[in-house]
Amino acid sequence: MAGSSFGNIFRISTWGESHGKAIGVVVDGCPAGIELNEEIIQAYLDRRKPGQNRFSTQRAEGDKVEILSGVFEGETTGTPISMIVHNKDQHSKDYSEIASYYRPGHADFTFDAKYGFRDYRGGGRSSGRETIGRVAAGAIAMTALKSMGIEVTAYTAQIGNVKCDREKIEKVNILKSPIYMPDLEASERAMEALDFSRAEMDSMGGIVDCVITGVPAGVGEPVFDKLDATLAKAVMSIGAVKGVQIGSGFEVASKRGSENNDEFTGESQSENSAFKISKFFDEDGELISNIKSTNHAGGILGGISDSDPILVSAAFKPTPSIAKTQSTINKKGEQIDINIKGRHDPVIVPRAVVVVESMAAITVFDLLLSSMTSRMDKIKEFFGR
Amino acid sequence: MAGSSFGNIFRISTWGESHGKAIGVVVDGCPAGIELNEEIIQAYLDRRKPGQNRFSTQRAEGDKVEILSGVFEGETTGTPISMIVHNKDQHSKDYSEIASYYRPGHADFTFDAKYGFRDYRGGGRSSGRETIGRVAAGAIAMTALKSMGIEVTAYTAQIGNVKCDREKIEKVNILKSPIYMPDLEASERAMEALDFSRAEMDSMGGIVDCVITGVPAGVGEPVFDKLDATLAKAVMSIGAVKGVQIGSGFEVASKRGSENNDEFTGESQSENSAFKISKFFDEDGELISNIKSTNHAGGILGGISDSDPILVSAAFKPTPSIAKTQSTINKKGEQIDINIKGRHDPVIVPRAVVVVESMAAITVFDLLLSSMTSRMDKIKEFFGR
Amino acid sequence: MAGSSFGNIFRISTWGESHGKAIGVVVDGCPAGIELNEEIIQAYLDRRKPGQNRFSTQRAEGDKVEILSGVFEGETTGTPISMIVHNKDQHSKDYSEIASYYRPGHADFTFDAKYGFRDYRGGGRSSGRETIGRVAAGAIAMTALKSMGIEVTAYTAQIGNVKCDREKIEKVNILKSPIYMPDLEASERAMEALDFSRAEMDSMGGIVDCVITGVPAGVGEPVFDKLDATLAKAVMSIGAVKGVQIGSGFEVASKRGSENNDEFTGESQSENSAFKISKFFDEDGELISNIKSTNHAGGILGGISDSDPILVSAAFKPTPSIAKTQSTINKKGEQIDINIKGRHDPVIVPRAVVVVESMAAITVFDLLLSSMTSRMDKIKEFFGR
Amino acid sequence: MAGSSFGNIFRISTWGESHGKAIGVVVDGCPAGIELNEEIIQAYLDRRKPGQNRFSTQRAEGDKVEILSGVFEGETTGTPISMIVHNKDQHSKDYSEIASYYRPGHADFTFDAKYGFRDYRGGGRSSGRETIGRVAAGAIAMTALKSMGIEVTAYTAQIGNVKCDREKIEKVNILKSPIYMPDLEASERAMEALDFSRAEMDSMGGIVDCVITGVPAGVGEPVFDKLDATLAKAVMSIGAVKGVQIGSGFEVASKRGSENNDEFTGESQSENSAFKISKFFDEDGELISNIKSTNHAGGILGGISDSDPILVSAAFKPTPSIAKTQSTINKKGEQIDINIKGRHDPVIVPRAVVVVESMAAITVFDLLLSSMTSRMDKIKEFFGR
């Protein structure tokens, strides 16, 4: 069944295999009149590009995006926006061997089980390159949201056991860290740990946090299409993610109601509905809030935004492709030892930051558009009736 | 926008407010020929019914389900199955006061922001009673899955700081614990902690684990409709859930690739594709596996089932309705102190166990049906062409 | 697969069999703040009720609707509206015989082929009673549209060979005709023909026209979700419909471009965007227009409304249940002669008028809501950003 | 809102403007293991290509398709199939003038009303070139269906007032007629009429018939996703279509039940479930049937296929772009006279034949896949449980 589309109104459909001719995305339902060009998209794609630092694969993927439709005279037209990135630098030979066996931690076995065979070159459709389409589409959502005063900001919160101190996190530092870790001390320690791990032919995992500010209250549909539920799907659908949480997340399990409840404080909602902030956490490391005493809820109540900053966190597993010898089975079911060749990221997390940002932006923009039809009085006003 | 439906092929649509005339669900796309009657559904509903023990609200909700359509001569007909539970014992007066203010941790504020007003009686649509429809629908999915050798089993894994020891978990013990906690020692300690919390007019949170066995390899659609992503949405859409994880979940962030990768072991997949097991974890507390050396992946690779047991965990926040005095704002934006009256659960988790089970069953059955169209050779065989 | 839902934003899901306990519909995605009560719905249901005149079945179906959710203090709340009509006066015995054979023109054979068995009582799910849910949902769409100056009006345009003269059609006459035929002379002749057909134990077909006025320009989504394409599906999904056309419809096949093209005349669009009219056709029988010299297009260009009156027509086959002896096969494949008992409509068309109206209203309201997200400048304005 | 996708399981999303860089389609949910290459697709595209005869535009559109993803080693992989056709020979200057006014019969006015501006070059998104994506996707559906013994065949049934005699229609003659009109006498007369019309700087309309044979009984979902309703949407979504009918279509309006009902004859369904036939109509011009005495129903009962040949007909309006002087308004609302330049088809119908075929094939294949989940016993058998 079709599974390569996401979103209801602002709807993206990605396509492409890592070693096919190209990778791309079609964005349907994008409103007309958003300023758009290839430079805007490219800036986001460059943040997921490999080869940015010593911790990402040294493949020289050019990843130049081309807009094929849906933009006219510098603006979106309301019709589908098709974007393409041609695949280059394909060392397909590196992968010929893996056709015969199932790499641990990869989707080789399950794709064969599902489809009877697979495009084994570089992971095919299950490759991380699939996220190129997500980021290109996310760039459009992000551009639209920004024009409304809504900011979506992701960063590396943890690599292995090295965590950012939340009170030290400053937005301006994200891009200062080669691994997008805005507590710059933690960033240094994480890079040392990564050097160590790589030397041992191993890989590391981590956590990406994403904060969304300026979302008006009322975004998210009750019951199944809640903002948090949709964010959970959006983020869990990224290749290596094994956990997602909102606000205080798993910590709530051990809290009392009196500790976890956020009391409403009566601050004017309108003043903070669209705001740019340099820090997301206060001096106690608590997520900031404008309308509540605390923000354990992470800006979402009953699945609907409350106008406070939204926090979503995602746990990424360590890159499954490691140089160390591993045991597995081949297609005949025989036990074999393998050494995965090719150039692989010793950690996925830094390159995944912009992917999380993209999925969050797509989700928020789609549900923001959905929320326009929730009140009859506003609908009549919209049509001047 | 419509947000009360879930699933693509096996599609459920819930409706109803906690103090309206009734609560219900329509299940569309259910295959014909499943044995079904009201007793089967009722058995599941009884597990979420309040008043089962001292830790759930003492409201005497009868919650008797009636099947209105889609079943003929004891079998599903393939047409929509409409199920209804009439609301009784509605102390609507208890709620008249809350119309004027916003309870902390509840959706009062966000519903008003979204819709301009709300059915304030007992939480209205955002009440936990909405899950009645999920459980009634889940009972059908569960019945269908069981007939195929697929078992979905949820239980209380943690209440506050009291956690089950995984190696002590036995399936047979789940129903022996009044709070569905299959490590019976932990269950005792958790009940003590709940007594203590209630005495302090407070509430507690916890974690529900759900294990799914017997799912054939190949279930889940690549990219956005991955099995894990869809489970994440399914479970995060339950009222008080703030985090979801698959397999090792957030622990993977601090693991090395060599630790986290599960090596394929060459065991025959067919033998274990449908199996009933009494324990889900081995003597080391590790999730069991039949085809891999370990099962950190939780039975899902690349978003597709690998035939091993699937583990999904959900963090529930403490019940927001507490008897303790709290501060909040009223509709005029004035700061006020409130004491929430009415009968409320000191902990949501035990009653939520069957809700998690239901959402997992609906997700797995829907994606199982989806997976039937993934191979042309099997399609031809199906139609005898 | 689920097939009982229609609409994307304003989404209806019908359920129920003709001789089950009840028939109903859930409307999800209905905006909050529409005045609604059971009387409003009932007025529409009464127009499809049997026993209104001598040309409809004399079964005394009460068909009293009950609203179970989604309405609070006389207004829609934005949450799902569940409506139910209990089945009464079920002469199920009349139908026991038809379990064993396949009635010509009915869905008996195809339901058995699809599901392996069927609820044979009165047609089960394929009964015309299924349209109760459509009309109840349509009443809500109609109420919302009316409040915006949009009118949806259907009527009987043809019964057998008796056609309305278009220039004689007056809106005010529709309800004056027992068969909803607004050319009252034609109405008389059609009733005579129906008497004649009934005397011969036979049935008749006909055509329903539906005119929609006041739709703003811009409603309908390019390519597949065009307004005309969606109307076609909406109307063709009604049981006995075998053809659908827009504007001049099949007549365009034999026209020249110079005849069929409607020239734009430069009239102000704003003046006529919401207007009530008493006649839909001019003295030449041509569909009226405010912005074009003619309106062969039927108010839709490129699948998008142009603000002119929209005309959709549907051809209904004669009622397949006739008293005359017919030949068919039984489940064993043996040829048999049958005489269908029970009380059946000698013509479906008059009762179908409100069904066509309902499906048209649901389609237009849903696509009107969709059209709110087509321009970024209007989105920003909506959110005050 | 997104409107460029069609189908639920086999889902196509088209993109592209007539004078943009390229036109394309993404097919998601296509089963793995279908033999596919560019030659197969190209053969279908060549049938809609302009310049095939003197009645289609003389633009030399190369329209060479390239498959970018989803095919590996000559077979579909189950992942999205992205196909692209680069636009060439764009005389964009020809269209610069039309930016300022609204062409009669075109979507210029409605696109401006909806989006605030439009890509005016050659009709942009509303151009007939958009159907390239439909045909490329349809070619895949057709290939899959053929491998199952299902044939989809469309042809020109009428041009202006020239109609095929149904009893003279032979499948083998379709390609012998330059305008795909299988009654070769009628074809000659139609071509004369077209010459005449073109000489007068005018254009003509017509009717396309499409017959589908070999569909097993049971395809189509009750209520809204009926096979006929979905076909109606599929076909009405093609640019110039103004009417759609199934089987006897609009003729049923004037028939008696006893005339229109098709009596079941007890022929074995299995024998004819997949069959190739050279003629679709018998010597009386009646649609053939294997299981009924007649086939006025057009192979569909209650929205579900009955295994008999399916007939769907579509009325196409005359090409709106004509060389004759026409009156219209410009953007300022001023009345002006225009002469449309550029090269345009004097009739759309022949090039639309393969488009109707494509939409029908996509619909049937999608609903065929859907029908696999309608019975629990067959589901268990499928999974060997």
Side-chain angles (χ1 to χ4, degrees), chain B residues 16-28:
Chain B
E17 283 81 35
S18 60
H19 286 61
K21 286 189 179 175
I23 288 270
V25 65
V26 177
V27 179
D28 198 12

Side-chain angles (χ1 to χ4, degrees), chain C residues 177-209:
Chain C
S177 160
I179 55 173
Y180 305 118
M181 205 162 181
D183 169 349
L184 296 179
E185 274 177 276
S187 173
E188 283 306 313
R189 278 180 288 130
M191 288 190 283
E192 282 166 36
L194 282 167
D195 280 332
F196 197 72
S197 156
R198 193 170 46 168
E200 293 186 317
M201 297 190 294
D202 216 336
S203 63
M204 294 182 77
I207 291 178
V208 173
D209 273 4

Side-chain angles (χ1 to χ4, degrees), chain A residues 116-187:
Chain A
F117 81 122
R118 70 184 197 277
D119 181 346
Y120 50 77
R121 300 166 302 165
R125 183 70 179 143
S126 69
S127 161
R129 280 189 69 75
E130 174 270 324
T131 60
I132 285 175
R134 302 178 184 230
V135 173
I140 300 175
M142 209 93 75
T143 302
L145 290 174
K146 265 188 191 164
S147 78
M148 300 179 68
I150 299 169
E151 302 267 345
V152 184
T153 313
Y155 56 86
T156 301
Q158 182 179 333
I159 299 266
N161 286 310
V162 184
K163 299 177 189 182
C164 286
D165 273 348
R166 285 193 159 176
E167 63 272 25
K168 291 186 190 159
I169 291 176
E170 295 217 41
K171 203 170 160 179
V172 72
N173 287 341
I174 298 173
L175 295 177
K176 290 184 189 159
S177 159
I179 54 174
Y180 304 119
M181 204 164 183
D183 169 350
L184 296 179
E185 275 176 275
S187 174

Side-chain angles (χ1 to χ4, degrees), chain A residues 200 202 226 237 256 258 326, chain B residues 200 202 226 237 256 258:
Chain A
E200 294 185 317
D202 216 336
K226 289 183 163 98
S237 75
R256 288 284 188 82
S258 59
Q326 295 182 92
Chain B
E200 292 186 318
D202 216 335
K226 288 182 163 99
S237 75
R256 289 282 188 84
S258 58

Side-chain angles (χ1 to χ4, degrees), chain C residues 57-188:
Chain C
T57 164
Q58 296 306 307
R59 291 190 305 268
E61 307 178 23
D63 290 357
K64 286 291 165 204
V65 71
E66 193 180 353
I67 298 174
L68 297 172
S69 70
V71 177
F72 184 58
E73 298 178 344
E75 286 186 36
T76 58
T77 59
T79 61
I81 302 165
S82 177
M83 295 181 284
I84 190 171
V85 168
H86 285 273
N87 286 328
K88 287 175 190 164
D89 185 35
Q90 300 151 358
H91 292 216
S92 296
K93 281 177 219 157
D94 286 355
Y95 296 101
S96 56
E97 198 183 311
I98 67 171
S100 66
Y101 60 75
Y102 300 126
R103 291 171 299 166
H106 278 281
D108 302 340
F109 172 73
T110 52
F111 265 68
D112 265 18
K114 186 175 187 72
Y115 298 115
F117 80 123
R118 70 185 197 277
D119 180 347
Y120 50 78
R121 300 166 304 165
R125 182 70 179 144
S126 69
S127 161
R129 279 190 70 73
E130 175 270 324
T131 60
I132 286 175
R134 302 179 184 229
V135 174
I140 301 175
M142 210 91 79
T143 303
L145 289 174
K146 265 186 189 164
S147 77
M148 298 179 69
I150 299 169
E151 302 266 345
V152 184
T153 312
Y155 56 85
T156 302
Q158 181 178 335
I159 300 267
N161 286 311
V162 184
K163 299 178 189 182
C164 285
D165 272 350
R166 284 194 158 173
E167 61 273 26
K168 292 186 188 159
I169 291 176
E170 296 217 41
K171 203 170 162 179
V172 73
N173 287 341
I174 298 173
L175 295 176
K176 289 183 188 160
S177 160
I179 55 173
Y180 305 118
M181 205 162 181
D183 169 349
L184 296 179
E185 274 177 276
S187 173
E188 283 306 313

Side-chain angles (χ1 to χ4, degrees), chain D residues 357-371:
Chain D
E357 216 172 88
S358 295
M359 290 309 298
I362 291 163
T363 302
V364 168
F365 190 44
D366 187 44
L367 286 172
L368 183 102
L369 295 176
S370 283
S371 76

Side-chain angles (χ1 to χ4, degrees), chain A residues 51-122:
Chain A
Q52 301 172 76
N53 58 50
R54 68 184 188 275
F55 308 115
S56 66
T57 163
Q58 297 305 307
R59 292 191 302 268
E61 309 179 22
D63 290 357
K64 285 292 166 203
V65 70
E66 193 180 353
I67 298 175
L68 297 172
S69 69
V71 176
F72 184 58
E73 298 178 346
E75 286 185 37
T76 58
T77 60
T79 60
I81 302 164
S82 177
M83 295 181 283
I84 191 172
V85 169
H86 285 274
N87 286 326
K88 287 176 191 164
D89 186 33
Q90 299 151 1
H91 290 216
S92 296
K93 281 178 220 154
D94 287 355
Y95 296 99
S96 56
E97 196 182 314
I98 69 172
S100 66
Y101 60 76
Y102 301 127
R103 291 170 298 164
H106 278 280
D108 302 339
F109 172 74
T110 53
F111 265 68
D112 264 18
K114 186 174 189 72
Y115 298 114
F117 81 122
R118 70 184 197 277
D119 181 346
Y120 50 77
R121 300 166 302 165

Side-chain angles (χ1 to χ4, degrees), chain C residues 62 214 287 350 382:
Chain C
L287 183 63
F382 181 92

